């Protein structure tokens, strides 16, 4: 069972963003599955790095679109992205703590769900008005 199944309330109605969010959810679920299976730390680290790389790419595309659309909340939104990345990097540095997998998964799951359902919804009208979504 996935730790974070995709649910309809995550959909923003902007296909390219929804597709990227689904990919992020898939990567979180893959990371969780590896942890459950007791995968070697280097395997877990590799998928975490894939997740972070994809997240960076997604954030960059999202931010470009917000900027093009003239979204008024762009600076705050970008700050939230930077804060999330910094928190994951901080958690990664705690790799020797037994509670890290649980803390990391809970953070990723709750942050992404909250970010999609609350923060990302704010820019959708601006993207649509600019024909970007």
């Amino acid at each position: 069972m996935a730790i974070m199944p995709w649910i309809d309330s995550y959909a923003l109605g902007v296909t390219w963003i929804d597709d990227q969010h689904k990919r992020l959810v898939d990567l979180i679920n893959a990371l969780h599955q590896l942890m459950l299976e007791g995968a070697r730390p280097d395997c877990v680290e590799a998928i975490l790095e894939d997740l972070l790389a994809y997240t960076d790419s997604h954030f960059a595309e999202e931010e470009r679109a917000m900027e093009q659309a003239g979204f008024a909340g762009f600076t705050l939104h970008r700050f939230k992205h930077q804060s999330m990345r910094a928190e994951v990097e901080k958690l990664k540095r705690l790799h020797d703590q037994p509670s890290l997998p649980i803390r990391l998964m809970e953070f990723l799951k709750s942050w992404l769900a909250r970010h999609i359902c609350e923060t990302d919804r704010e820019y959708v009208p601006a993207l649509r008005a600019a024909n970007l979504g």
Side-chain angles (χ1 to χ4, degrees):
M1 180 182 207
I3 190 171
M4 186 178 187
W6 179 264
I7 55 176
D8 291 342
S9 63
Y10 294 157
L12 299 177
V14 179
T15 304
W16 66 271
I17 295 172
D18 288 340
D19 289 346
Q20 289 180 12
H21 286 163
K22 286 176 184 174
R23 177 70 180 133
L24 288 169
V25 167
D26 288 345
L27 286 167
I28 288 171
N29 287 323
L31 178 61
H32 181 250
Q33 189 60 41
L34 280 177
M35 290 176 171
L36 286 177
E37 293 169 358
R40 293 187 336 254
D42 60 320
C43 292
V44 172
E45 179 76 19
I47 197 156
L48 180 56
E49 288 304 319
D50 286 348
L51 172 63
L52 290 174
Y54 191 80
T55 299
D56 289 343
S57 171
H58 167 67
F59 286 171
E61 286 186 48
E62 204 177 67
E63 290 169 10
R64 250 189 318 275
M66 284 186 281
E67 200 167 29
Q68 284 179 318
F71 174 57
F74 170 73
T75 302
L76 178 59
H77 198 108
R78 182 174 54 190
F79 175 76
K80 289 179 181 182
H81 286 169
Q82 292 166 343
S83 297
M84 179 272 195
R85 186 64 155 89
E87 182 64 20
V88 172
E89 288 297 334
K90 183 178 96 176
L91 287 169
K92 274 178 46 182
R93 287 190 296 276
L94 304 174
H95 66 277
D96 58 341
Q97 292 187 6
S99 65
L100 175 63
I102 295 167
R103 289 173 58 195
L104 179 61
M105 293 313 304
E106 284 305 311
F107 172 75
L108 291 171
K109 177 183 163 187
S110 66
W111 188 91
L112 185 59
R114 187 176 57 254
H115 189 76
I116 291 171
C117 292
E118 296 171 11
T119 309
D120 282 353
R121 289 204 183 286
E122 296 172 358
Y123 67 70
V124 171
L127 264 57
R128 288 198 174 120
N131 292 318
L132 296 171

